[in-house]
Amino acid sequence: MSQATTPPPPDETRTAAIIRPGHSLSSVTDKISKIVLQRHTPRGWFIGLGISFALVMLLLWSLTVLLVKGTGIWGLNIPVGWGFAIINFVWWIGIGHAGTLISAILLLVKQDWRTSINRFAEAMTLFAVACAGIFPLIHVGRPWLAYWLLPYPNTMDMWPQFRSPLLWDVFAVSTYASVSLLFWYVGLIPDLATLRDRAKSRPWKIAYGVLALGWRGAARHWDRYETAYLLLAGLATPLVVSVHTVVSLDFAVGQVPGWHATVFPPYFVAGAVFSGFAMVVTLAIPLRKVYGLEDFITMRHLENMAKVMLATGLIVAYGYAIEIFTAWYGGSEYEMFMVQNRMKGPYATFFWALILCNVAIPQLLWSRKIRNSLLALFLISIVVNVGMWLERFVIVVTSLSRDFLPSSWDTYEPTFWDWSTYIGTIGLFLALLFLFIRFLPMISIAEMRMLVPAEEEPEEEEK
Amino acid sequence: MSEIDARLSKIQGRALRIGSVAFVLLIISGMAGPQRAMQSWLLGFLGMCAIGLGSLGLLCLHNLTGGGWGHAIRRVLEAATKTLPILAVFALPLLLWPQGLYEWAHPEVVAADPILQHKAPYLNTGFFRIRTVVYFAIWIGMAALLRSMGSVFERAPSDANGRRLRTISGPGLAVFGLTLTFASFDWGMSLEPHWFSTMYGVIFIVGSVLSTLCFSILVASWLARCEPVSRYFQPGQFHDLGNLLLAFVMLWAYVGFSQYLIIWSANLSEEAPWYIHRLGHGWQGLALFLLLFHFAVPFLLLLSRKTKRRHAVLAGVASVLLVLRFADLTWLVVPAFERTNPILGLILDVLAIAAAGGLWLGAFLSALRSGPLHSVAPPGPAEAQPASQT
């Protein structure tokens, strides 16, 4: 074994720092907590929240009209019973995958670059799941009876259909939402204590203090915190996969051409991660600019996320390709018609736009130059968000509008209320996000401090 | 060093002897029943392909992600990719006589079957041969390129060389995924030419990587017991390999069960027969056995840190899994054949796996011995640290 030995292939992005050099423990704490604790709120924040809040009002208005008049105000019709409600549900749930993936899976595989993006990615997950949850509830038509979805002994002697993935969705999504919330909150506790200690005014001290659950930063606290955090990460990991698997089964267990494909579960999960990372990039680029967080959310983070987008985008493209090939190879005339209908039918524009957004444009990410250009990355991430919405539209609408019997075909056209509800949830998402970045640390102070090189002597430490 | 080499050479000789004897016996049996021998050979061929091709995929992956796990098995992977030309030779019977295996290769069957006529532009002997040749040309070329750029990088580990290595590994991984998918359609899925599943390629890829992981863990663990190479292997690396193995065991169950659930729920006449063949006629026993010992038991064992950090224990799990990989392949492939004498079929299967396995192992060991047995310096403190998770 005299052979000269060499180091592992270095990754130049790995040499790019995940925290800009020169930071000390206190500068990290100052920089992040200042955003929350400063008296002065930037005007842009008020404008942003104002617009988002107006959209929340639009959502409430749309929901009120819906409850008064019923789902007839939507563009649904008999073959297309799953319109915008299901498209938007799947889209939001997909976006809600990045947070827990970044937090849990990247934690378990020891990817330290997750640290500065995990907090707001988790918050984004919660808000996206909240938006997603609205849609199935209102889609059932009588939301006040939605509790019938839960299996409980009742006088009607009625149980939900346990064989239906739609019921599994209820369990999968609610479990995912609870574990994600818990994960996010547990991660916040040390930071809430920091804010409690640094807050100037008494009401804030009390508010953060109550939320910090008496955290003192004792060695025993840290020990238990780390254990709890790891256990939650282990719990959350299978949930990330399970949620979108169940969502994919909503489609795949049926026989509708274009829905029934065995590759759906892994391909949906990859699509969810694809759209989730795209959303994180969309949000991270303006946030780091506005709040001057370039030291913490570095180019390395963005480039790594771009690589994840490229990889998952390729898996999604693989799904499309195999689906098209198998539609021909399988020899079923309905499957072949479905592909033709997607490519040339009334919704062909959507299909080709989807291919452009999800398959063609993301290939630009092969280039290092593009991955390191903020503008290009920002635009591509938006394109991917649009593309993933189109994908769900194509899957839901083209398949349903023209299935086996031509006599039952019909076209689907979204109405004003479809759009207003959808745009309203975007407003809700953004409004929650604006509140979050104002009142809670958007980057984990405690974890960032662990990344500060040890030789930097702490100037002060939280008790 | 020479002591290890002597031991490897001894194993190599033994593998080649076993392989040749089994091969000769298989040929003799083939004279009595060529179709039977072909069916068994397909199993041996696919089993060995899994390791050669899985190595190609893992090599690309490691070039892209780095990580201590890859350094422990890098030489094994490289040596396994050197066996791809041998695997191409193993494919010769399929190319020369596809009629021995595939219904669609018989013109009279196709003439009576409208679905097969529809598929004829893809499923015909000429195109099948061309595709198999093209797959192997791509794989052999890619493997040679990866090895040569890998060695350039190891001699001069500059950023530029590292980038070049990754520049081919990224697209390489994509090409690997697509070619292996279609190879699995051709060699495996088309055994039942009416049946189709979009998941089939994924199941095959996951299975290949799993076989490769098992095999390379076994070799790495063997090397880790031999002085002086043992110092190049760290418990942390085996821990990571164990986690990777766990992930792929779960992935295997995930993709396999997803396909089953979707086909079972829809219960369509063009899809269900594949499972009817595999969950009846005694095959349900094997299915249950695989569920328990290819998933549940290794899953539970691999959850424990202790299993993963002690390479001998990990190798034990990997060796059982490697054997079960062949059982899984049997479950995927053999029910497609109508065997009048299942006992003889089983004997021939074992013979074919011994033949292909022995000859392949001989080729692999000769490739492994031709270079150094470890890829990098003993890992630095960062990698030698005990992994703190799971």
Side-chain angles (χ1 to χ4, degrees):
Chain A
M1 288 303 107
S2 51
Q3 181 83 12
T5 52
T6 53
D11 187 333
E12 70 268 27
T13 57
R14 211 158 289 161
T15 52
I18 44 175
I19 176 169
R20 191 165 292 172
H23 274 290
S24 66
L25 294 176
S26 57
S27 76
V28 167
T29 313
D30 281 343
K31 182 123 194 176
I32 303 172
S33 62
K34 208 183 74 196
I35 298 170
V36 176
L37 295 174
Q38 63 182 349
R39 280 266 166 71
H40 170 75
T41 309
R43 190 185 300 159
W45 184 85
F46 283 110
I47 298 173
L49 182 69
I51 295 172
S52 324
F53 193 72
L55 294 177
V56 176
M57 293 298 108
L58 177 69
L59 175 67
L60 292 178
W61 180 37
S62 313
L63 293 181
T64 310
V65 175
L66 175 76
L67 292 183
V68 171
K69 294 194 175 166
T71 47
I73 62 168
W74 291 343
L76 300 180
N77 52 40
I78 275 309
V80 190
W82 282 10
F84 260 40
I86 302 302
I87 298 166
N88 297 335
F89 163 68
V90 181
W91 188 70
W92 277 120
I93 277 284
I95 288 171
H97 271 60
T100 311
L101 183 103
I102 290 172
S103 304
I105 297 183
L106 296 188
L107 177 75
L108 294 180
V109 295
K110 296 174 271 180
Q111 296 289 318
D112 52 3
W113 60 271
R114 68 181 265 286
T115 298
S116 65
I117 48 172
N118 66 342
R119 171 69 50 72
F120 78 82
E122 284 167 40
M124 184 201 82
T125 288
L126 289 174
F127 306 150
V129 171
C131 292
I134 293 173
F135 286 102
L137 280 186
I138 56 177
H139 189 248
V140 296
R142 296 178 199 172
W144 50 93
L145 296 179
Y147 66 92
W148 285 8
L149 286 164
L150 300 171
Y152 68 103
N154 54 56
T155 50
M156 300 175 290
D157 213 16
M158 244 180 26
W159 291 93
Q161 171 56 278
F162 285 102
R163 282 188 184 181
S164 166
L166 297 174
L167 179 69
W168 310 343
D169 260 341
V170 177
F171 302 127
V173 175
S174 55
T175 313
Y176 184 66
S178 345
V179 173
S180 298
L181 179 68
L182 214 58
F183 197 52
W184 180 66
Y185 180 61
V186 168
L188 262 172
I189 289 175
D191 285 4
L192 288 167
T194 302
L195 292 177
R196 172 198 62 198
D197 297 343
R198 294 189 152 226
K200 297 277 184 316
S201 69
R202 191 148 175 80
W204 284 114
K205 261 189 194 308
I206 293 175
Y208 287 125
V210 168
L211 289 171
L213 302 179
W215 177 272
R216 282 175 286 112
R220 187 180 290 180
H221 285 184
W222 279 110
D223 181 49
R224 291 190 177 152
Y225 166 83
E226 299 266 326
T227 312
Y229 201 64
L230 264 184
L231 282 176
L232 278 172
L235 258 176
T237 302
L239 293 176
V240 178
V241 178
S242 77
V243 173
H244 231 68
T245 298
V246 172
V247 169
S248 79
L249 292 175
D250 290 341
F251 298 95
V253 298
Q255 301 179 351
V256 179
W259 287 13
H260 179 67
T262 47
V263 80
F264 258 37
Y267 138 65
F268 261 54
V269 173
V273 175
F274 187 39
S275 68
F277 270 77
M279 191 55 107
V280 176
V281 171
T282 310
L283 298 176
I285 289 176
L287 274 183
R288 74 197 275 276
K289 178 107 187 86
V290 171
Y291 288 98
L293 295 172
E294 284 94 343
D295 290 3
F296 301 144
I297 305 176
T298 63
M299 279 321 288
R300 182 171 154 207
H301 293 102
L302 295 173
E303 195 178 357
N304 279 353
M305 287 196 276
K307 286 178 180 171
V308 173
M309 271 163 62
L310 178 62
T312 47
L314 286 172
I315 300 179
V316 169
Y318 172 93
Y320 300 154
I322 295 302
E323 224 189 333
I324 292 172
F325 173 77
T326 310
W328 171 82
Y329 177 88
S332 151
E333 57 176 318
Y334 303 109
E335 292 285 336
M336 282 187 276
F337 173 77
M338 176 276 294
V339 169
Q340 240 178 32
N341 185 36
R342 274 187 190 174
M343 291 179 176
K344 297 181 197 155
Y347 301 103
T349 330
F350 290 80
F351 176 77
W352 293 111
L354 138 77
I355 297 293
L356 182 73
C357 292
N358 279 0
V359 181
I361 292 178
Q363 302 312 316
L364 291 173
L365 294 172
W366 286 103
S367 147
R368 232 159 67 84
K369 217 177 264 168
I370 299 268
R371 288 199 304 263
N372 280 294
S373 147
L374 285 179
L375 181 68
L377 209 52
F378 183 66
L379 292 177
I380 292 174
S381 72
I382 289 179
V383 162
V384 169
N385 279 317
V386 173
M388 286 308 293
W389 187 86
L390 288 170
E391 180 199 297
R392 278 67 175 249
F393 183 91
V394 166
I395 292 176
V396 169
V397 174
T398 49
S399 286
L400 282 179
S401 67
R402 292 186 167 187
D403 64 354
F404 300 97
L405 273 180
S407 62
S408 67
W409 289 359
D410 204 346
T411 46
Y412 169 79
E413 250 176 77
T415 62
F416 169 80
W417 299 109
D418 281 311
W419 285 110
S420 67
T421 314
Y422 173 46
I423 293 167
T425 53
I426 295 179
L428 175 64
F429 177 76
L430 291 177
L432 290 168
L433 209 66
F434 275 114
L435 293 174
F436 161 71
I437 55 178
R438 182 65 189 89
F439 295 111
L440 291 169
M442 72 177 106
I443 294 178
S444 171
I445 303 172
E447 288 186 10
M448 285 308 280
R449 282 192 297 217
M450 291 178 199
L451 291 179
V452 174
E455 58 269 20
E456 307 265 2
E457 272 306 306
E459 289 160 31
E460 53 168 325
E461 268 224 87
E462 263 63 51
K463 279 282 133 59
Chain B
M1 174 62 205
S2 59
E3 191 199 332
I4 300 181
D5 196 53
R7 287 167 69 185
L8 284 174
S9 141
K10 211 166 132 191
I11 300 175
Q12 185 188 346
R14 207 174 293 161
L16 283 175
R17 273 195 299 279
I18 294 175
S20 322
V21 171
F23 190 70
V24 170
L25 288 175
L26 192 69
I27 299 255
I28 294 171
S29 85
M31 288 170 184
Q35 203 158 359
R36 274 198 306 247
M38 268 298 271
Q39 292 172 354
S40 300
W41 180 250
L42 179 70
L43 206 57
F45 164 70
L46 290 178
M48 293 303 124
C49 265
I51 300 177
L53 294 173
S55 302
L56 197 58
L58 276 178
L59 210 53
C60 287
L61 188 69
H62 184 243
N63 286 341
L64 291 172
T65 63
W69 60 272
H71 299 122
I73 59 170
R74 210 176 154 83
R75 285 286 175 257
V76 180
L77 301 178
E78 285 176 346
T81 60
K82 276 191 195 162
T83 63
L84 282 166
I86 306 288
L87 292 167
V89 175
F90 283 7
L92 277 181
L94 274 73
L95 295 183
L96 295 176
W97 195 46
Q99 292 83 356
L101 287 171
Y102 303 105
E103 251 182 79
W104 50 260
H106 297 271
E108 70 281 3
V109 177
V110 176
D113 190 325
I115 296 255
L116 290 189
Q117 280 166 25
H118 168 79
K119 295 185 185 194
Y122 184 79
L123 291 182
N124 62 68
T125 47
F127 194 26
F128 174 82
R129 288 182 180 125
I130 294 173
R131 282 198 305 270
T132 300
V133 170
V134 169
Y135 299 146
F136 272 105
I138 291 175
W139 293 331
I140 292 170
M142 211 166 97
L145 198 62
L146 281 173
R147 281 198 308 270
S148 84
M149 295 188 91
S151 70
V152 166
F153 175 73
E154 278 178 20
R155 273 197 303 273
S158 65
D159 258 7
N161 283 339
R163 197 177 310 137
R164 227 167 278 147
L165 191 58
R166 283 194 304 278
T167 308
I168 56 161
S169 298
L173 206 55
V175 170
F176 162 79
L178 268 185
T179 45
L180 188 50
T181 299
F182 282 96
S184 75
F185 286 0
D186 293 356
W187 300 338
M189 196 163 88
S190 78
L191 286 169
E192 281 141 299
H194 279 233
W195 186 76
F196 55 90
S197 167
T198 41
M199 187 75 113
Y200 197 86
V202 182
I203 292 179
F204 220 79
I205 292 171
V206 170
S208 298
V209 174
L210 198 49
S211 298
T212 309
L213 276 174
C214 293
F215 179 75
S216 31
I217 286 172
L218 278 179
V219 179
S221 157
W222 190 86
L223 290 173
R225 259 175 309 204
C226 299
E227 296 295 336
V229 265
S230 59
R231 67 198 165 96
Y232 292 95
F233 297 92
Q234 308 288 329
Q237 294 174 326
F238 284 101
H239 191 159
D240 286 352
L241 282 170
N243 277 333
L244 212 52
L245 189 66
L246 174 64
F248 271 87
V249 163
M250 291 194 282
L251 201 56
W252 173 86
Y254 171 69
V255 291
F257 180 72
S258 299
Q259 173 177 285
Y260 173 66
L261 182 66
I262 290 169
I263 290 180
W264 173 81
S265 301
N267 202 16
L268 295 172
S269 59
E270 62 259 37
E271 292 178 342
W274 196 85
Y275 277 108
I276 293 173
H277 291 153
R278 280 160 184 78
L279 295 173
H281 315 290
W283 289 112
Q284 67 272 42
L286 181 57
L288 199 64
F289 181 78
L290 284 172
L291 192 64
L292 275 177
F293 293 97
H294 195 304
F295 171 65
V297 172
F299 169 74
L300 292 173
L301 287 175
L302 288 171
L303 280 179
S304 148
R305 269 170 78 82
K306 283 183 186 153
T307 313
K308 287 177 285 196
R309 293 190 76 80
R310 282 183 301 198
H311 65 80
V313 182
L314 184 64
V317 176
S319 57
V320 173
L321 260 177
L322 189 59
V323 173
L324 290 179
R325 288 298 312 134
F326 287 97
D328 181 41
L329 217 54
T330 307
W331 186 77
L332 280 176
V333 168
V334 175
F337 308 129
E338 278 168 18
R339 283 184 166 172
T340 42
N341 190 343
I343 303 290
L344 179 65
L346 184 65
I347 293 171
L348 287 183
D349 288 347
V350 173
L351 213 54
I353 290 169
L359 295 175
W360 181 84
L361 193 62
F364 165 78
L365 287 174
S366 114
L368 186 69
R369 287 172 55 208
S370 68
L373 293 171
H374 61 90
S375 70
V376 290
E383 283 176 12
Q385 265 174 12
S388 55
Q389 278 94 32
T390 53

